[in-house]
Amino acid sequence: MHELSFGTWLIHISSVVEWIYAIFIIKKISNFEKYKTFFWLSLAMIPNLISAMCAITWHIFDNQESLYGLVTLQGILTFIGNSTLAIATIVIYKTSFTYE
């Protein structure tokens, strides 16, 4: 694990923990009637979480060439995650007008 500095590891790990916490908080918020559509946002966050875990796993094993598939998987999951987040945002935006 010598490839990254302590500060970089701290940022990587804390970001993943924060993302997990955010998913649970948003899911909890979706239990309120007014925010039911937020459930889709919490679900849409999962591909980006898995993407981050791919990056951390690759770094844990010192960026081994045999695990380079994780880099590709990370890129694919980032694209999927960003797309699902955009869709969830559009759904929330469109349904927010029905509650006013």
Side-chain angles (χ1 to χ4, degrees):
M1 295 188 345
H2 64 279
E3 295 291 327
L4 303 177
S5 68
F6 174 76
T8 304
W9 274 113
L10 187 64
I11 290 168
H12 274 51
I13 300 298
S14 64
S15 295
V16 169
V17 171
E18 290 171 19
W19 199 254
I20 292 168
Y21 189 66
I23 290 171
F24 282 109
I25 294 297
I26 293 169
K27 171 61 178 89
K28 193 94 162 146
I29 290 170
S30 75
N31 291 332
F32 294 101
E33 187 65 35
K34 186 176 179 181
Y35 302 108
K36 288 282 186 205
T37 54
F38 278 48
F39 168 76
W40 297 108
L41 179 61
S42 66
L43 201 60
M45 294 172 74
I46 293 174
N48 284 74
L49 174 62
I50 298 169
S51 171
M53 290 179 175
C54 287
I56 288 175
T57 302
W58 193 56
H59 289 311
I60 285 173
F61 291 100
D62 292 329
N63 307 340
Q64 290 180 12
E65 296 236 2
S66 61
L67 296 176
Y68 194 75
L70 287 174
V71 176
T72 305
L73 183 60
Q74 179 196 6
I76 292 168
L77 287 169
T78 298
F79 175 76
I80 292 169
N82 291 346
S83 300
T84 58
L85 285 170
I87 292 167
T89 303
I90 292 167
V91 168
I92 290 169
Y93 177 76
K94 286 186 175 185
T95 58
S96 67
F97 292 113
T98 61
Y99 293 112
E100 293 179 0

